[in-house]
Amino acid sequence: MPDLDEKTITEAVLRAGSHGSDERLGTVLGALVRHLHDFVREVSLTEAEWAAAIGFLTRTGQLCTPDRQEFILLSDVLGVTMLVDAVAHRRSPTATENSVLGPFFREHRPSFEAGADISGGLPGTPLSVQLTVVDTDGAPVPGAAVDVWHADSAGHYDSDVVGLEGAAMRGLFHTSADGRTSFTTISPAPYPIPDDGPVGSLMRASGRSVMRPGHLHVRIEAPGFSTLTTMLFREDDPYLENDPVFGVKGSLVARYETHEQGEALRHSFVLDRA
């Protein structure tokens, strides 16, 4: 009969799970068991605290629907989403850094020619955007598919704008022979992550901001190159230092230039070869 205590139970659990045929599963699950057991021992977790944790995870799962994924939000605010992204997308030093995809990307989005207005007629500060796509040698990448999407001047994506029919503030473009494309829209505003569920309670309990800085999502695909999923944040946004999902990187902070007609944004993206 096994005589298990707080020091020997970890190895017993690892032995019990060592007979599966999936080697990778064994590696991942084994590491999870070791780290989880070490965590319990490190903080001397109480039964009441473990019950509270189970209750929190249960409520998180109960809130998940086809339109809302509270577990992904939990992953975001714990920095796990960005960590997985960083591990999965190690770029060359000169390539543009990746960031999280977020929940508002849509496979079904309208296609536009360069220079199109994608604002959907929504109110806000006019924004002129010029994007360039090059490789790590600085050569233009023609024919690259460039997806863009963002929130409006109130921090709402098109799916949350009351009375809006169809898509707005999103679209698919393709770069010209010189690697360029452009469009007009409205400047995106900061917005809060959903805070009416367990994750919101966690954020309040830990004294953290729920406000994401305003940003423009960009996803670029081109034959022979690694797909780039990233964002551009405006340099004067008050929430840059406290992004709750840790998506801000210094290289992704851009200057919005002010002019008589509104604002302008110019930025180059550097793709790694696949």
Side-chain angles (χ1 to χ4, degrees):
M1 292 289 291
D3 187 15
L4 302 180
D5 58 23
E6 66 177 80
K7 296 180 179 179
T8 60
I9 189 171
T10 302
E11 287 303 318
V13 175
L14 292 173
R15 286 194 301 271
S18 64
H19 308 296
S21 59
D22 189 326
E23 183 177 352
R24 176 61 177 169
L25 175 62
T27 298
V28 173
L29 188 57
L32 173 63
V33 168
R34 287 193 298 273
H35 286 291
L36 183 58
H37 284 213
D38 285 342
F39 160 74
V40 171
R41 285 186 284 262
E42 178 184 341
V43 303
S44 296
L45 199 70
T46 68
E47 291 178 331
E49 289 167 340
W50 184 235
I54 294 296
F56 174 87
L57 294 174
T58 300
R59 293 191 299 276
T60 299
Q62 289 170 339
L63 196 58
C64 294
T65 70
D67 298 318
R68 176 169 180 168
Q69 236 301 349
E70 191 78 357
F71 268 115
I72 290 180
L73 186 62
L74 178 60
S75 170
D76 292 345
V77 304
L78 293 179
V80 178
T81 303
M82 275 302 303
L83 179 56
V84 171
D85 181 87
V87 170
H89 299 285
R90 295 185 171 109
R91 306 289 188 188
S92 62
T94 57
T96 300
E97 293 185 277
N98 227 65
S99 194
V100 293
L101 179 67
F104 295 103
F105 173 73
R106 300 290 182 267
E107 290 285 353
H108 301 290
R109 69 284 196 207
S111 296
F112 296 98
E113 297 295 326
D117 179 2
I118 66 170
S119 68
L122 295 172
T125 301
L127 176 64
S128 173
V129 181
Q130 297 182 30
L131 304 178
T132 305
V133 182
V134 300
D135 64 18
T136 52
D137 294 322
V141 179
V146 181
D147 266 294
V148 296
W149 67 103
H150 65 86
D152 66 8
S153 59
H156 299 300
Y157 287 83
D158 52 8
S159 56
D160 296 326
V161 177
V162 177
L164 179 65
E165 296 184 4
M169 304 169 296
R170 71 174 68 245
L172 174 64
F173 295 84
H174 289 84
T175 56
S176 59
D178 59 359
R180 300 178 184 273
T181 193
S182 62
F183 59 93
T184 59
T185 185
I186 54 176
S187 295
Y191 60 85
I193 62 171
D195 63 350
D196 58 339
V199 172
S201 298
L202 178 66
M203 297 294 281
R204 287 187 290 275
S206 53
R208 291 177 54 188
S209 169
V210 299
M211 292 298 297
R212 293 220 65 200
H215 53 274
L216 173 71
H217 290 270
V218 182
R219 182 175 173 88
I220 303 175
E221 296 181 298
F225 293 90
S226 298
T227 297
L228 172 66
T229 302
T230 195
M231 305 180 199
L232 291 179
F233 301 88
R234 58 184 305 148
E235 65 176 6
D236 59 349
D237 194 288
Y239 301 105
L240 278 180
E241 299 296 328
N242 299 293
D243 182 10
V245 307
F246 306 99
V248 177
K249 300 177 181 181
S251 64
L252 305 181
V253 176
R255 174 171 296 179
Y256 281 54
E257 301 174 358
T258 302
H259 54 79
E260 291 183 1
Q261 288 76 36
E263 295 180 324
L265 172 62
R266 298 175 178 84
H267 196 81
S268 293
F269 298 94
V270 181
L271 300 188
D272 255 339
R273 293 197 176 272

